[in-house]
Amino acid sequence: MGKKLYFNHDAGVDDLVSLFLVLQMKDVELIGVSVIPADGYLEPGMAASRKIIDRFGAPGASGKIEVARSNSRGRNPFPAEWRMHTFFVDALPILNEPGKVYTREAEQPAHKHMIQQLLAASEPVTLLFTGPLTDLARALDEAPEIEEKIEKLVWMGGTFNEKGNVQEPEHDGTAEWNAFWDPEAVYRVWNSGIKIELVALESTNKVPLTVPVRNRWASLRKHAGLDFVGQCYAACPPLVYMETNSTYYLWDVLTTAVVGDPSLVQMETVRSTVIADGPSQGRTVETGDGRPVSLVYDVEPERFFDYITALSQNA
Ligand code: AGV
Ligand code: CA
């Protein structure tokens, strides 16, 4: 069945495309999904996730994989314009053709659902988080014994660059958004013994959404999977002349690709801590006595785009 994976995401466009991609990975067994309403809204995020499993999961996936709803709240809310993307993906005709949803919603909230799935697993599980870490921090507080069941955490978040991607009043711009939404959760996870692979802005900045990337997907739209990916990214502003606050990168998709094929990227160990309060809150900083994380600092963009295109083409 391949390696076991639990996926917690926050219902952005690249989060939902990531769910689609995980379902195409032959050597990955998805044992649960949860949705946290950070860079997206909860109701359409739950519905879209269930529909994506129905439409693009392997036969039988809808009967096996549950989607859990998070009841976590963050400290610093995402801009509503970004969050609205969830409604667009949930409304795509390709997800609504059957008029009925089969994949079940979990009875428990996200962090408890994750605890349950981890404790029930026969072997260590990889965690993929493409939004804030709040549900993981709460799960660790409630059931510290899950640490033993976690193979590693692969997280899209953080940066050691001088410039992050938060542009908000009362912040100095050094943080990445997933860390900024709930800095204390990052702090909690850093204080655990879990192995962490960090897909930070160092590498995601190298994979912007561009018009040529979109055109490649358009040329292959006869494949349902690539039609879906193309439709999703039609909602997002590409990089053309210069970066703006809304320019879209393939942040979460790169993170997901690292789970499927770690050879796409370069990693190095960095000792770091996170600033939990004040104008730099959410900033990850290198310090000699900090906790080690494997930082994904580089990627070969062409190989990455070839990889996700090939995966989508088989859907
Ligand atoms: O910081 C990147 C994270 C990723 O998990 N998200 C988007 C991805 O899902 C927040 C974010 C930063 N800039 C954004 C974001 C933008 N311009 N539009 C939407 N979300
Ligand atoms: Ca995300």
Side-chain angles (χ1 to χ4, degrees):
M1 276 307 305
K3 62 181 162 204
K4 293 192 193 296
L5 183 75
Y6 189 97
F7 182 26
N8 180 287
H9 72 74
D10 69 340
V13 165
D14 60 339
D15 296 85
L16 293 165
V17 170
S18 295
L19 173 58
F20 157 74
L21 287 170
V22 154
L23 292 166
Q24 309 317 313
M25 294 176 182
K26 296 273 175 294
D27 53 348
V28 167
E29 184 197 348
L30 191 58
I31 64 160
V33 174
S34 44
V35 184
I36 181 169
D39 195 13
Y41 285 92
L42 190 57
E43 294 305 331
M46 289 293 298
S49 300
R50 294 165 63 207
K51 293 171 192 173
I52 289 169
I53 295 169
D54 283 356
R55 178 67 181 79
F56 293 110
S62 299
K64 276 188 250 155
I65 307 166
E66 288 180 337
V67 182
R69 162 190 303 264
S70 173
N71 56 13
S72 296
R73 296 291 176 263
R75 194 198 286 163
N76 299 299
F78 274 97
E81 303 102 88
W82 296 355
R83 301 184 65 202
M84 292 302 288
H85 285 146
T86 320
F87 288 96
F88 172 85
V89 176
D90 182 43
L92 287 176
I94 196 167
L95 296 183
N96 289 282
E97 209 174 355
K100 193 174 177 322
V101 184
Y102 296 90
T103 298
R104 285 185 316 266
E105 181 175 330
E107 277 171 22
Q108 297 191 296
H111 66 292
K112 288 187 193 284
H113 180 251
M114 184 170 65
I115 293 171
Q116 172 197 296
Q117 294 306 93
L118 286 171
L119 294 180
S122 51
E123 60 200 80
V125 176
T126 297
L127 300 181
L128 171 62
F129 272 63
T130 58
L133 292 176
T134 318
D135 287 324
L136 178 53
R138 291 174 72 196
L140 287 167
D141 280 344
E142 246 179 79
E145 67 273 20
I146 59 173
E147 275 199 28
E148 279 163 40
K149 303 303 285 281
I150 300 171
E151 171 79 30
K152 65 181 173 189
L153 164 68
V154 183
W155 182 44
M156 192 286 125
T159 184
F160 301 102
N161 291 343
E162 262 168 54
K163 189 172 159 287
N165 65 3
V166 172
Q167 293 178 26
E168 288 284 300
E170 304 183 349
H171 194 270
D172 65 10
T174 54
E176 180 282 328
W177 258 104
N178 288 338
F180 176 63
W181 196 79
D182 187 353
E184 274 163 16
V186 184
Y187 194 85
R188 172 66 185 90
V189 172
W190 255 233
N191 273 332
S192 73
I194 303 172
K195 197 176 150 217
I196 300 175
E197 287 178 8
L198 196 64
V199 184
L201 300 181
E202 281 77 347
S203 54
T204 62
N205 281 343
K206 295 180 179 160
V207 290
L209 175 67
T210 61
V211 175
V213 164
R214 272 187 176 162
N215 288 344
R216 178 175 181 189
W217 294 332
S219 75
L220 294 163
R221 70 177 283 271
K222 66 173 182 233
H223 303 281
L226 278 162
D227 191 31
F228 172 68
V229 172
Q231 301 279 353
C232 284
Y233 280 106
C236 306
L239 178 66
V240 183
Y241 301 111
M242 57 168 233
E243 189 193 49
T244 70
N245 188 34
S246 41
T247 302
Y248 224 86
Y249 294 82
L250 276 80
W251 303 277
D252 298 349
V253 172
L254 176 59
T255 310
T256 303
V258 170
V259 171
D261 184 0
S263 82
L264 295 170
V265 297
Q266 306 282 316
M267 297 190 213
E268 66 184 355
T269 303
V270 171
R271 287 181 165 269
S272 75
T273 183
V274 60
I275 299 176
D277 283 299
S280 307
Q281 61 184 273
R283 178 179 182 181
T284 41
V285 274
E286 261 192 271
T287 52
D289 59 350
R291 89 92 84 201
V293 297
S294 297
L295 171 70
V296 172
Y297 68 91
D298 201 11
V299 55
E300 284 177 60
E302 267 177 39
R303 274 189 65 214
F304 161 71
F305 282 109
D306 287 351
Y307 174 74
I308 59 168
T309 305
L311 260 186
S312 310
Q313 213 159 321
N314 298 331

